[in-house]
């Protein structure tokens, strides 16, 4: 077993957390092909993405309290085994209804990675240190979406869409072994919570009534929904509208990931000189600028790949600065309920993202305008929530110099 504070523990946690995003990013190039293979429209294919996010959101409300009672590792391992089985079901699906159901089950298992990865970081580190470690974890995780769409596009071209889900099942099984034998249980025994309905209700009510938790969580959810708007619409915009081949889709997607990594690394470097409040303001400003630029170009009918990719890379630079700070800030006040707090945080994040993703699919007109407009609105809304809630009600242990 590795030491909890070892950098390799962070790497292994990142590999576990990446399972959920991989289930989205790897099959993005296959969305148009799935519609053709199953003879359904864009909205029904896109529903497999939104249903995944909805399942992801709901499952977190259960896996967080379970982890607070039984520990992080047992729940994470059980989730990954479920994910592997559901991925196999996706590969064997012959109609959109079966695929959608298996995607929902896949989400139930995959949700354990992000929820319990965040909780484990909070178990191991103090709030300010946790923000830096989450930025490092996010940078490592960003390698997955940088590689996944390209790999998914190659597999689609050579082996067909089912091979993507078979690869996800294999990754889940490997991750199960890694977590089981490579990472110690991070949760302190004295922090275990009783698994009673009254206790769960009390814990969630206590967390949801914390105004600083709401501020960080809503800011995160809105800026994340801008990212998910791109995930929901990018394959239809780039592949169907702008005629990018599935094989090359991931290469353009990598520009977005490069922006995200840049934001993560910038946040890590500046965290020694700036308080999280200052990092959040800068990150949200960059995200709003990128989203507004994309929307402005779309309104001006500038329709080409770079009019989408460059603004999205700018947006993602801001997202890379914002997400680690909001994650750590939301959990800062709950060392004894980190699993439940992470679960409620993730539920809000994924619920908002699922609604936005469904909106992109429903309103899609064949160009980039709808996707770009929603990204811009999400970024600006996140900035407004930050100004109204986070700046006025920062988490005390996370923003020790906020009043100064």
């Amino acid at each position: 077993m590795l030491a909890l504070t070892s950098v390799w523990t962070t790497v292994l946690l990142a590999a576990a957390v990446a399972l959920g995003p991989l289930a989205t990013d790897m099959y993005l190039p296959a969305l148009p092909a799935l519609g053709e293979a199953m003879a359904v429209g864009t909205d029904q294919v896109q529903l497999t993405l939104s249903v995944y996010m909805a399942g992801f959101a709901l499952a977190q409300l259960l896996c967080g309290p379970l982890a607070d009672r039984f520990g992080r590792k047992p729940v994470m391992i059980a989730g990954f085994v479920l994910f592997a089985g559901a991925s196999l079901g996706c590969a064997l699906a012959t109609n959109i209804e079966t695929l959608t159901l298996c995607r929902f089950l896949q989400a139930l298992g995959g949700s354990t990675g992000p929820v319990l990865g965040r909780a484990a970081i909070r178990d191991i580190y103090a709030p300010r240190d946790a923000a830096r470690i989450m930025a490092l974890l996010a940078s490592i995780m960003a390698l997955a979406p940088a590689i996944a769409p390209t790999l998914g596009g190659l597999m689609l071209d050579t082996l067909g869409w089912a091979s993507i889900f078979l690869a996800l099942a294999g990754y889940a099984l490997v991750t199960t072994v890694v977590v089981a034998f490579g990472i110690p249980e991070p949760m302190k025994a004295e922090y275990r919570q009783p698994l009673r309905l009254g206790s769960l209700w009390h814990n969630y009510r206590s967390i949801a009534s914390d105004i600083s938790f709401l501020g960080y969580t809503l800011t995160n959810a809105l800026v994340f929904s801008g990212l998910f708007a791109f995930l929901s619409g990018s394959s239809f915009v780039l592949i169907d509208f702008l005629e990018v081949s599935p094989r090359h889709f991931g290469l353009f997607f990598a520009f977005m990931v490069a922006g995200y990594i840049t934001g993560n690394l910038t946040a890590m470097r500046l965290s020694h000189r700036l308080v999280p409040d200052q990092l959040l303001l800068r990150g949200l400003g960059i995200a709003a600028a990128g989203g507004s630029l994309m929307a402005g170009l779309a309104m001006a009918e500038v329709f080409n790949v770079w009019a989408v990719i460059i603004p999205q890379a700018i947006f993602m630079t801001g997202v890379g600065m914002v997400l680690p700070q909001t994650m750590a800030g939301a959990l800062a006040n709950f060392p004894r309920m980190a699993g439940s707090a992470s679960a409620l945080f993730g539920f809000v994040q994924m619920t908002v993202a699922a609604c936005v993703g469904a909106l992109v699919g429903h309103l899609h007109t064949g160009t980039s305008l709808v996707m770009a407009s929603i990204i811009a609105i999400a970024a600006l809304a996140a900035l407004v929530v930050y100004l109204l809630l986070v700046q006025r009600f920062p988490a005390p242990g996370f923003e020790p110099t906020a009043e100064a």
Side-chain angles (χ1 to χ4, degrees):
M1 290 284 184
L2 297 169
L4 283 174
T5 55
S6 166
V7 67
W8 286 108
T9 297
T10 303
V11 172
L12 294 182
L13 282 173
V17 172
L19 182 64
L22 273 175
T24 297
D25 299 325
M26 189 175 283
Y27 99 126
L28 286 178
L31 290 179
L34 280 169
E36 293 179 10
M38 297 186 177
V40 295
T42 298
D43 55 340
Q44 288 182 275
V45 176
Q46 199 279 333
L47 188 62
T48 65
L49 196 57
S50 292
V51 163
Y52 179 86
M53 300 302 284
F56 214 91
L58 291 171
Q60 293 181 78
L61 293 179
L62 180 60
C63 75
L66 285 174
D68 281 344
R69 173 63 182 89
F70 298 108
R72 315 305 184 204
K73 284 182 59 175
V75 178
M76 196 179 288
I77 290 168
F80 291 165
V81 171
L82 174 60
F83 181 96
S87 298
L88 182 60
C90 289
L92 299 176
T94 57
N95 56 65
I96 197 67
E97 291 80 14
T98 302
L99 178 62
T100 302
L101 173 62
C102 289
R103 285 286 290 169
F104 181 78
L105 296 175
Q106 197 183 40
L108 299 185
S111 67
T112 59
V115 173
L116 303 185
R118 289 191 298 262
I121 294 298
R122 181 62 186 90
D123 291 334
I124 300 168
Y125 298 97
R128 292 291 296 275
D129 292 329
R132 287 192 289 271
I133 297 301
M134 285 183 181
L136 174 61
L137 183 144
S139 296
I140 298 169
M141 279 178 56
L143 295 175
I147 298 169
T150 300
L151 182 60
L154 291 172
M155 294 176 71
L156 175 66
D157 279 352
T158 57
L159 300 173
W161 61 264
S163 64
I164 297 173
F165 293 107
L166 293 175
L168 289 170
Y171 183 90
L173 294 175
V174 172
T175 305
T176 301
V177 175
V178 166
V179 171
F181 299 103
I183 302 175
E185 173 58 56
M187 184 183 182
K188 296 179 181 179
E190 61 268 28
Y191 283 3
R192 294 189 182 236
Q193 301 287 318
L195 192 62
R196 296 192 298 267
L197 184 60
S199 297
L200 294 182
W201 171 249
H202 173 77
N203 288 350
Y204 277 133
R205 187 175 62 180
S206 174
I207 294 164
S209 63
D210 186 297
I211 192 68
S212 66
F213 172 85
L214 292 176
Y216 290 110
T217 300
L218 290 175
T219 301
N220 178 287
L222 287 166
V223 80
F224 183 81
S225 70
L227 162 60
F228 194 70
F230 180 79
L231 296 179
S232 298
S234 60
S235 60
F236 299 104
V237 170
L238 295 179
I239 295 175
D240 283 353
F241 177 51
L242 299 176
E243 300 183 345
V244 172
S245 73
R247 184 184 295 267
H248 296 140
F249 173 80
L251 299 178
F252 290 108
F253 200 85
F255 280 90
M256 180 198 77
V257 177
Y260 183 66
I261 293 175
T262 300
N264 286 154
L265 297 179
T266 300
M268 288 176 63
R269 281 198 302 269
L270 295 179
S271 63
H272 298 288
R273 295 193 292 110
L274 302 177
V275 297
D277 178 79
Q278 295 168 316
L279 288 172
L280 278 171
L281 182 58
R282 287 162 173 75
L284 288 167
I286 293 170
S292 299
L293 175 61
M294 190 194 302
L297 290 172
M299 290 176 184
E301 298 187 353
V302 180
F303 295 132
N304 63 66
V305 171
W306 297 113
V308 173
I309 295 301
I310 291 177
Q312 183 64 18
I314 295 171
F315 172 82
M316 289 304 298
T317 300
V319 172
M321 296 177 68
V322 169
L323 293 191
Q325 311 304 317
T326 50
M327 289 178 191
L331 304 187
N333 293 343
F334 306 100
R336 293 181 176 273
M337 295 184 289
S340 296
S342 180
L344 187 58
F345 172 91
F347 172 78
V348 175
Q349 180 195 61
M350 295 301 175
T351 299
V352 174
C355 292
V356 169
L359 189 64
V360 171
H362 180 70
L363 298 178
H364 180 63
T365 58
T367 72
S368 59
L369 180 59
V370 168
M371 181 186 75
S373 298
I374 290 177
I375 291 171
I377 291 169
L380 292 170
L383 181 58
V384 170
V385 170
Y386 159 79
L387 294 172
L388 293 178
L389 293 180
V390 175
Q391 275 203 333
R392 296 175 62 192
F393 305 100
F398 187 54
E399 300 272 14
T401 59
E403 291 185 0

